[in-house]
Amino acid sequence: MKLFRYLAKEVLVSTAAVTLILLLVILSGRIFNYLGRVAEGRMSFDFLFILLGLHVPSFIQVILPLAFFLSLLLAYGRLYIENEMSILFASGISKIKLAGYTLGIAFFITMLSAAINFWISPAFEYKAQEITQEQDKLTAFDFLQAGKFEGRGQKATYVEQFTADEGWMENLFISDISTNNNQQTPTQTLARYGELVRFPEHDGLQYLVLKQGVRYEGKPGTGNYRVTTFDTYAIRIEDSPSGEITDEKAQPTLALLNSNDPKLIAELHWRIGLVVIVPILAIIGLSLSQVNPRQGRFFKMLPAIILLITYLGLLIWGRTALEKQIIPLQYGMWWVHGIFGLIALYTFMMFNQVFARKAAKLPTTNGGSNA
C-alpha cells in the first residue's frame, strides 16, 4: 500500500496540475469571446463569470482523461529516468503488478470522470441554459451605465444619469432603425426622462416610457423626414420568449438512455466514451512511459500524443457519424474503444516482454580431438 500511495500521489498531483493548466488555457480563450458580448451590451459583466463557472465541468470532462494520460507519462517517465523503477523491479515488483497499481489509480479517475459526465456536467449545463435564457430577456436598457454610450453604429443608447430614488433615466438619447413596409428608416429620440415599465402579469410585457422629448425620423432633406415632439411616448420592447431547453449537453443521462433521437444517442455514447477512455489510456501510458535513462523522459511523448489525438479524433468523428446516422446506432462508438483496447493490449505485451524469443544458436564444436 505504501508503494500504491506513492505512485498515486505522483500521478494524481501531476493530473491536478495539468488539468488546472489546460483549464486556464480554455477559460482564457472563452473569456475574450464573452467580453465581446459584454462590450456589445448582450451580457452583463457579472453574468460572464457565472456562465464560465457553470461551463467548467464541461471543460473538465474532456480535459481530465488527457491530463491523466500526460501525467502518467510524465510521472512514470521520471521514475524510469531516476532508476526508481529499476529498483522496484529488482525488489520483486512485476510489471503486471505495476499495471494493477496503475489501473487502481485509473479507477479513481474513472469514477470521477463518470460523476462529471453523467451527473455534474449535464446539471451545470442545464442551469447555464436557464440563466442564458433569463439573460436574453434583458434589454439594452438593463445594461446601461450613466455617461456611456451602449451599442454601435446607428443603434446606440445614451443616458446622462439615473435618479437615486425613483430610478428614472435622465437626458436620454436613442438612435435606432425602424422598419416599415420593408423600408428601413433611421430614427433618433431625445427625452428628458425615461423609465422601463414591466408587466409580469402579461407575460413580461415591457415598455420604455419617455417624457418631454422629440423624435426625428428619416433622413434630413428628404420628403419623408419628420420631427415629432411629445410629452409622453411609449416604445414596446420585444421580449425573447423562453423555450424548452433542447441542447443535448444539458439533458440528464437517464433521458438519453430512454431516447431514440440520434443526437441524444450520440451524446450518450460520447459521455460513456470519455469514461471508458481512461483505463485504456492508463495501459497505453504505462507501456509508453518505459524509457531508457539515456533517451530522456520525453522520448516516447510524441508517439503517445499522436495516439491520444487519434483516439479523440475518432471519438469526435464517431459522434458526428452517429448524429448523421452514417454509422448504425447499435454500433455506437464501441468500435473505437475496441481498436484502442487492442492497441493497449499489444503495447502492454511488448512492455511486459510476453512474446517468446528465439533461443540463441550456440556454435557447434567437434566432439573429437586430434591425437
Side-chain angles (χ1 to χ4, degrees):
M1 291 303 297
K2 289 183 178 180
L3 176 59
F4 176 75
R5 287 196 297 267
Y6 175 70
L7 294 175
K9 179 182 178 182
E10 290 288 324
V11 175
L12 295 180
V13 170
S14 298
T15 300
V18 175
T19 300
L20 180 60
I21 292 173
L22 295 178
L23 181 61
L24 290 176
V25 171
I26 294 177
L27 289 178
S28 62
R30 285 298 184 94
I31 197 170
F32 285 111
N33 179 33
Y34 292 149
L35 284 174
R37 297 175 64 181
V38 172
E40 294 174 1
R42 295 185 294 140
M43 179 188 297
S44 64
F45 189 76
D46 295 337
F47 176 72
L48 182 152
F49 295 101
I50 296 175
L51 189 61
L52 279 178
L54 290 173
H55 285 318
V56 165
S58 294
F59 300 150
I60 293 180
Q61 69 177 163
V62 180
I63 292 174
L64 188 59
L66 278 67
F68 172 68
F69 180 65
L70 295 175
S71 300
L72 197 64
L73 291 170
L74 293 173
Y76 281 14
R78 184 189 67 79
L79 296 179
Y80 277 107
I81 294 299
E82 297 179 359
N83 294 315
E84 292 187 44
M85 283 294 189
S86 299
I87 296 174
L88 291 179
F89 296 146
S91 301
I93 301 298
S94 67
K95 293 182 177 180
I96 294 179
K97 194 169 185 178
L98 180 62
Y101 290 154
T102 304
L103 288 176
I105 302 171
F107 176 78
F108 173 77
I109 300 294
T110 301
M111 292 297 101
L112 179 59
S113 178
I116 293 174
N117 280 278
F118 297 147
W119 294 287
I120 299 176
S121 179
F124 276 59
E125 283 296 322
Y126 189 88
K127 187 64 177 177
Q129 293 290 332
E130 281 187 334
I131 296 179
T132 301
Q133 287 188 351
E134 294 177 2
Q135 192 77 9
D136 291 339
K137 291 182 180 180
L138 299 179
T139 67
F141 298 95
D142 293 297
F143 301 103
L144 283 177
Q145 297 182 18
K148 292 185 179 181
F149 277 92
E150 295 292 340
R152 59 176 61 184
Q154 293 188 356
K155 292 187 175 183
T157 306
Y158 175 84
V159 174
E160 184 177 359
Q161 65 180 356
F162 295 89
T163 57
D165 298 328
E166 296 85 0
W168 281 83
M169 296 174 279
E170 294 186 352
N171 296 328
L172 286 85
F173 169 78
I174 303 172
S175 177
D176 200 356
I177 298 177
S178 62
T179 303
N180 188 14
N181 296 328
N182 295 326
Q183 292 184 352
Q184 292 185 341
T185 304
T187 64
Q188 294 81 36
T189 305
L190 300 171
R192 184 72 179 90
Y193 300 102
E195 182 184 22
L196 194 63
V197 180
R198 292 185 172 92
F199 299 93
E201 65 275 10
H202 297 287
D203 297 327
L205 190 63
Q206 301 181 84
Y207 282 92
L208 175 65
V209 179
L210 303 176
K211 297 281 188 178
Q212 303 175 17
V214 58
R215 180 178 174 87
Y216 304 92
E217 296 180 74
K219 296 180 180 180
T222 61
N224 60 350
Y225 185 70
R226 294 189 304 173
V227 179
T228 306
T229 58
F230 58 84
D231 181 67
T232 301
Y233 183 77
I235 303 174
R236 180 175 177 177
I237 300 177
E238 297 295 333
D239 188 17
S240 299
S242 298
E244 183 181 358
I245 297 176
T246 58
D247 189 357
E248 58 271 14
K249 293 181 181 180
Q251 301 303 313
T253 303
L254 185 60
L256 302 183
L257 289 170
N258 298 326
S259 175
N260 295 321
D261 187 346
K263 284 190 176 181
L264 298 184
I265 294 176
E267 174 66 20
L268 175 63
H269 282 278
W270 173 254
R271 295 181 190 180
I272 295 174
L274 292 178
V275 177
V276 175
I277 194 176
V278 175
I280 295 176
L281 289 179
I283 296 300
I284 296 176
L286 168 67
S287 306
L288 295 183
S289 64
Q290 185 179 19
V291 292
N292 190 303
R294 295 181 179 180
Q295 296 173 338
R297 62 194 297 188
F298 301 105
F299 179 73
K300 295 183 180 179
M301 187 67 74
L302 180 59
I305 292 177
I306 291 175
L307 275 176
L308 176 62
I309 293 174
T310 305
Y311 198 167
L312 286 175
L314 283 176
L315 286 178
I316 294 172
W317 181 86
R319 179 182 182 178
T320 304
L322 282 177
E323 290 179 357
K324 297 180 178 180
Q325 300 188 49
I326 299 175
I327 297 176
L329 296 178
Q330 60 268 24
Y331 291 168
M333 292 191 289
W334 296 110
W335 57 276
V336 181
H337 303 299
I339 292 173
F340 281 86
L342 293 175
I343 293 175
L345 179 62
Y346 173 77
T347 56
F348 182 72
M349 291 173 66
M350 295 294 294
F351 166 72
N352 199 36
Q353 298 177 353
V354 175
F355 292 126
R357 297 178 178 178
K358 293 183 179 180
K361 294 183 179 180
L362 299 175
T364 57
T365 57
N366 295 327
S369 60
N370 296 328

